[in-house]
Short mmCIF file of all heavy atoms in Angstrom, two decimals:
data_model
loop_
_atom_site.label_atom_id
_atom_site.label_comp_id
_atom_site.label_asym_id
_atom_site.label_seq_id
_atom_site.Cartn_x
_atom_site.Cartn_y
_atom_site.Cartn_z
N ALA A 248 50.95 19.18 -5.10
CA ALA A 248 50.68 19.52 -6.51
C ALA A 248 50.11 18.43 -7.28
O ALA A 248 49.15 18.56 -8.05
CB ALA A 248 51.91 20.00 -7.04
N ALA A 249 50.55 17.19 -7.08
CA ALA A 249 50.15 16.07 -7.67
C ALA A 249 48.60 15.72 -7.25
O ALA A 249 47.83 15.38 -8.10
CB ALA A 249 50.89 14.71 -7.47
N SER A 250 48.37 15.87 -5.95
CA SER A 250 46.88 15.72 -5.46
C SER A 250 46.01 16.74 -6.04
O SER A 250 44.83 16.42 -6.51
CB SER A 250 46.94 15.95 -4.00
OG SER A 250 47.78 14.87 -3.32
N MET A 251 46.44 17.98 -6.23
CA MET A 251 45.60 18.96 -6.91
C MET A 251 45.39 18.60 -8.29
O MET A 251 44.27 18.79 -8.74
CB MET A 251 46.28 20.36 -6.75
CG MET A 251 46.24 21.04 -5.50
SD MET A 251 46.84 22.66 -5.31
CE MET A 251 45.81 23.40 -6.54
N ARG A 252 46.36 18.18 -8.97
CA ARG A 252 46.15 17.69 -10.43
C ARG A 252 45.13 16.60 -10.51
O ARG A 252 44.37 16.58 -11.40
CB ARG A 252 47.55 17.39 -11.00
CG ARG A 252 47.32 16.77 -12.45
CD ARG A 252 48.55 16.09 -13.00
NE ARG A 252 49.35 15.32 -12.13
CZ ARG A 252 49.13 14.01 -11.87
NH1 ARG A 252 48.08 13.45 -12.21
NH2 ARG A 252 49.92 13.46 -11.00
N LEU A 253 45.34 15.55 -9.70
CA LEU A 253 44.41 14.38 -9.78
C LEU A 253 42.98 14.87 -9.38
O LEU A 253 42.01 14.43 -10.21
CB LEU A 253 44.95 13.39 -8.65
CG LEU A 253 44.01 12.14 -8.49
CD1 LEU A 253 43.80 11.39 -9.89
CD2 LEU A 253 44.56 11.26 -7.55
N ALA A 254 42.79 15.76 -8.40
CA ALA A 254 41.43 16.18 -8.07
C ALA A 254 40.88 16.97 -9.25
O ALA A 254 39.62 16.76 -9.52
CB ALA A 254 41.58 17.15 -6.79
N LYS A 255 41.62 17.76 -9.90
CA LYS A 255 41.11 18.53 -11.06
C LYS A 255 40.69 17.61 -12.22
O LYS A 255 39.75 17.80 -12.91
CB LYS A 255 42.33 19.55 -11.57
CG LYS A 255 41.71 20.48 -12.65
CD LYS A 255 42.80 21.50 -13.02
CE LYS A 255 42.21 22.39 -14.16
NZ LYS A 255 43.31 23.34 -14.67
N GLU A 256 41.54 16.53 -12.46
CA GLU A 256 41.16 15.52 -13.42
C GLU A 256 39.81 14.89 -13.16
O GLU A 256 38.97 14.71 -14.01
CB GLU A 256 42.29 14.42 -13.54
CG GLU A 256 43.55 15.05 -14.18
CD GLU A 256 44.65 14.02 -14.07
OE1 GLU A 256 44.43 12.89 -13.48
OE2 GLU A 256 45.85 14.30 -14.55
N GLU A 257 39.58 14.57 -11.90
CA GLU A 257 38.26 13.96 -11.51
C GLU A 257 37.10 15.02 -11.63
O GLU A 257 36.06 14.55 -12.09
CB GLU A 257 38.35 13.46 -10.07
CG GLU A 257 39.34 12.30 -9.76
CD GLU A 257 38.80 11.03 -10.42
OE1 GLU A 257 37.61 10.91 -10.71
OE2 GLU A 257 39.52 10.02 -10.56
N ILE A 258 37.41 16.29 -11.24
CA ILE A 258 36.40 17.25 -11.37
C ILE A 258 35.92 17.46 -12.85
O ILE A 258 34.71 17.49 -13.16
CB ILE A 258 36.92 18.62 -10.88
CG1 ILE A 258 37.05 18.56 -9.29
CG2 ILE A 258 36.00 19.74 -11.29
CD1 ILE A 258 37.86 19.63 -8.70
N GLU A 259 36.86 17.35 -13.67
CA GLU A 259 36.66 17.70 -15.15
C GLU A 259 35.96 16.38 -15.80
O GLU A 259 35.27 16.49 -16.82
CB GLU A 259 37.93 17.91 -15.98
CG GLU A 259 38.44 19.27 -15.50
CD GLU A 259 39.84 19.62 -16.11
OE1 GLU A 259 40.56 18.68 -16.36
OE2 GLU A 259 40.11 20.81 -16.20
N LYS A 260 35.99 15.22 -15.06
CA LYS A 260 35.23 14.07 -15.59
C LYS A 260 33.77 14.06 -15.31
O LYS A 260 32.98 13.31 -15.81
CB LYS A 260 35.83 12.65 -15.03
CG LYS A 260 37.29 12.42 -15.56
CD LYS A 260 37.70 11.13 -14.89
CE LYS A 260 39.15 10.77 -15.10
NZ LYS A 260 39.62 9.77 -14.27
N HIS A 261 33.40 14.86 -14.24
CA HIS A 261 32.10 14.82 -13.81
C HIS A 261 31.36 16.32 -13.97
O HIS A 261 32.03 17.32 -14.28
CB HIS A 261 32.07 14.53 -12.26
CG HIS A 261 32.53 13.14 -11.95
ND1 HIS A 261 33.87 12.81 -11.89
CD2 HIS A 261 31.95 12.00 -11.94
CE1 HIS A 261 34.09 11.68 -11.65
NE2 HIS A 261 32.93 11.01 -11.65
N ASN A 262 30.00 16.23 -13.69
CA ASN A 262 29.27 17.57 -13.90
C ASN A 262 29.50 18.47 -12.77
O ASN A 262 29.61 19.74 -12.91
CB ASN A 262 27.84 17.30 -14.11
CG ASN A 262 27.57 16.50 -15.47
OD1 ASN A 262 28.24 16.85 -16.52
ND2 ASN A 262 26.77 15.46 -15.53
N SER A 263 29.37 18.05 -11.49
CA SER A 263 29.33 18.88 -10.34
C SER A 263 30.04 18.00 -9.17
O SER A 263 29.56 16.98 -8.89
CB SER A 263 27.99 19.36 -9.95
OG SER A 263 27.10 18.16 -9.82
N THR A 264 31.09 18.52 -8.58
CA THR A 264 31.78 17.78 -7.59
C THR A 264 31.80 18.65 -6.28
O THR A 264 32.23 19.88 -6.31
CB THR A 264 33.28 17.58 -8.08
OG1 THR A 264 33.22 16.74 -9.29
CG2 THR A 264 34.13 16.86 -7.11
N LEU A 265 31.62 17.91 -5.18
CA LEU A 265 31.81 18.55 -3.87
C LEU A 265 33.32 18.04 -3.41
O LEU A 265 33.50 16.88 -3.43
CB LEU A 265 30.78 18.19 -2.79
CG LEU A 265 29.33 18.89 -2.97
CD1 LEU A 265 28.38 18.15 -2.08
CD2 LEU A 265 29.55 20.29 -2.80
N PHE A 266 34.13 18.94 -2.95
CA PHE A 266 35.58 18.74 -2.74
C PHE A 266 35.71 18.88 -1.27
O PHE A 266 35.90 20.04 -0.85
CB PHE A 266 36.39 19.56 -3.59
CG PHE A 266 37.79 19.40 -3.60
CD1 PHE A 266 38.50 19.80 -4.74
CD2 PHE A 266 38.46 18.67 -2.68
CE1 PHE A 266 39.96 19.65 -4.79
CE2 PHE A 266 39.89 18.55 -2.56
CZ PHE A 266 40.50 18.96 -3.70
N PHE A 267 35.60 17.95 -0.41
CA PHE A 267 35.69 18.00 1.02
C PHE A 267 37.14 18.07 1.53
O PHE A 267 37.85 17.24 1.04
CB PHE A 267 34.88 16.93 1.71
CG PHE A 267 33.47 17.09 1.71
CD1 PHE A 267 32.53 16.45 0.77
CD2 PHE A 267 32.85 18.04 2.58
CE1 PHE A 267 31.17 16.66 0.78
CE2 PHE A 267 31.56 18.15 2.67
CZ PHE A 267 30.61 17.57 1.79
N VAL A 268 37.44 19.04 2.41
CA VAL A 268 38.72 18.98 3.20
C VAL A 268 38.28 19.01 4.57
O VAL A 268 37.24 19.24 5.00
CB VAL A 268 39.46 20.18 2.71
CG1 VAL A 268 39.87 20.11 1.29
CG2 VAL A 268 38.83 21.53 3.11
N ASN A 269 39.31 18.63 5.46
CA ASN A 269 39.00 18.66 6.88
C ASN A 269 39.13 19.98 7.67
O ASN A 269 38.57 20.05 8.86
CB ASN A 269 40.02 17.61 7.56
CG ASN A 269 39.64 16.19 7.02
OD1 ASN A 269 38.53 15.98 6.70
ND2 ASN A 269 40.73 15.34 7.15
N THR A 270 39.75 20.96 7.09
CA THR A 270 39.96 22.19 7.86
C THR A 270 39.67 23.37 6.88
O THR A 270 39.85 23.27 5.65
CB THR A 270 41.30 22.35 8.43
OG1 THR A 270 42.27 22.46 7.43
CG2 THR A 270 41.67 21.20 9.41
N ARG A 271 39.42 24.47 7.56
CA ARG A 271 39.09 25.75 6.68
C ARG A 271 40.36 26.23 6.03
O ARG A 271 40.36 26.74 4.93
CB ARG A 271 38.43 26.86 7.55
CG ARG A 271 37.00 26.56 7.96
CD ARG A 271 36.48 27.43 9.05
NE ARG A 271 36.77 26.99 10.29
CZ ARG A 271 36.37 27.55 11.39
NH1 ARG A 271 35.60 28.68 11.46
NH2 ARG A 271 36.67 27.12 12.61
N ASP A 272 41.45 26.00 6.79
CA ASP A 272 42.72 26.66 6.22
C ASP A 272 43.09 25.82 5.00
O ASP A 272 43.78 26.38 4.10
CB ASP A 272 43.87 26.73 7.26
CG ASP A 272 43.92 25.56 8.28
OD1 ASP A 272 43.50 24.35 7.84
OD2 ASP A 272 44.37 25.72 9.34
N THR A 273 42.85 24.52 4.96
CA THR A 273 43.31 23.75 3.85
C THR A 273 42.36 24.08 2.67
O THR A 273 42.80 24.13 1.60
CB THR A 273 42.99 22.21 4.18
OG1 THR A 273 43.87 21.88 5.26
CG2 THR A 273 43.47 21.30 2.97
N ALA A 274 41.04 24.32 2.95
CA ALA A 274 40.11 24.94 1.97
C ALA A 274 40.67 26.08 1.31
O ALA A 274 40.69 26.19 0.06
CB ALA A 274 38.76 25.16 2.47
N GLU A 275 41.07 27.08 2.05
CA GLU A 275 41.60 28.26 1.57
C GLU A 275 42.92 28.04 0.77
O GLU A 275 43.13 28.65 -0.25
CB GLU A 275 41.98 29.27 2.68
CG GLU A 275 40.58 29.73 3.38
CD GLU A 275 39.68 30.64 2.50
OE1 GLU A 275 40.06 30.82 1.21
OE2 GLU A 275 38.70 31.17 2.89
N ALA A 276 43.79 27.18 1.34
CA ALA A 276 45.03 27.01 0.63
C ALA A 276 44.90 26.37 -0.71
O ALA A 276 45.51 26.72 -1.73
CB ALA A 276 45.95 26.04 1.52
N LEU A 277 43.92 25.45 -0.79
CA LEU A 277 43.67 24.73 -2.17
C LEU A 277 43.03 25.84 -3.15
O LEU A 277 43.37 25.89 -4.18
CB LEU A 277 42.75 23.56 -1.96
CG LEU A 277 43.46 22.28 -1.24
CD1 LEU A 277 42.42 21.30 -0.98
CD2 LEU A 277 44.37 21.80 -2.42
N GLY A 278 42.00 26.46 -2.47
CA GLY A 278 41.23 27.38 -3.32
C GLY A 278 42.16 28.44 -4.05
O GLY A 278 42.03 28.70 -5.22
N VAL A 279 43.04 29.02 -3.28
CA VAL A 279 43.90 30.23 -3.83
C VAL A 279 44.82 29.54 -4.80
O VAL A 279 45.16 30.17 -5.80
CB VAL A 279 44.56 30.93 -2.77
CG1 VAL A 279 45.74 30.20 -2.12
CG2 VAL A 279 45.15 32.26 -3.27
N ARG A 280 45.34 28.40 -4.59
CA ARG A 280 46.34 27.77 -5.49
C ARG A 280 45.72 27.31 -6.91
O ARG A 280 46.15 27.52 -7.87
CB ARG A 280 46.93 26.52 -4.92
CG ARG A 280 48.13 27.07 -3.91
CD ARG A 280 48.60 25.93 -2.99
NE ARG A 280 49.71 26.28 -2.17
CZ ARG A 280 49.76 26.90 -1.07
NH1 ARG A 280 48.48 27.30 -0.50
NH2 ARG A 280 50.83 27.22 -0.52
N TYR A 281 44.38 26.92 -6.73
CA TYR A 281 43.75 26.54 -8.01
C TYR A 281 43.43 27.95 -8.89
O TYR A 281 43.56 27.92 -10.09
CB TYR A 281 42.32 26.00 -7.77
CG TYR A 281 42.37 24.48 -7.63
CD1 TYR A 281 42.03 23.82 -6.51
CD2 TYR A 281 42.87 23.67 -8.77
CE1 TYR A 281 42.07 22.47 -6.34
CE2 TYR A 281 42.91 22.28 -8.51
CZ TYR A 281 42.46 21.74 -7.41
OH TYR A 281 42.58 20.33 -7.29
N HIS A 282 43.03 28.96 -8.19
CA HIS A 282 42.87 30.17 -8.88
C HIS A 282 44.18 30.80 -9.39
O HIS A 282 44.12 31.40 -10.55
CB HIS A 282 42.12 31.23 -7.97
CG HIS A 282 40.62 30.81 -7.79
ND1 HIS A 282 40.15 30.90 -6.55
CD2 HIS A 282 39.79 30.61 -8.57
CE1 HIS A 282 38.85 30.49 -6.59
NE2 HIS A 282 38.55 30.33 -7.89
N LEU A 283 45.21 30.66 -8.73
CA LEU A 283 46.49 31.20 -9.18
C LEU A 283 46.99 30.41 -10.33
O LEU A 283 47.75 30.94 -11.34
CB LEU A 283 47.63 31.24 -8.05
CG LEU A 283 47.36 32.37 -7.09
CD1 LEU A 283 48.40 32.13 -5.92
CD2 LEU A 283 47.45 33.77 -7.59
#
Side-chain angles (χ1 to χ4, degrees):
S250 298
M251 286 184 60
R252 175 195 32 90
L253 177 58
K255 186 177 181 183
E256 289 169 0
E257 292 290 346
I258 290 167
E259 288 172 340
K260 289 178 191 173
H261 296 88
N262 294 321
S263 54
T264 300
L265 287 174
F266 189 156
F267 280 100
V268 298
N269 292 336
T270 64
R271 287 170 277 183
D272 42 27
T273 303
E275 293 292 2
L277 286 169
V279 74
R280 284 167 169 85
Y281 274 121
H282 286 128
L283 289 174

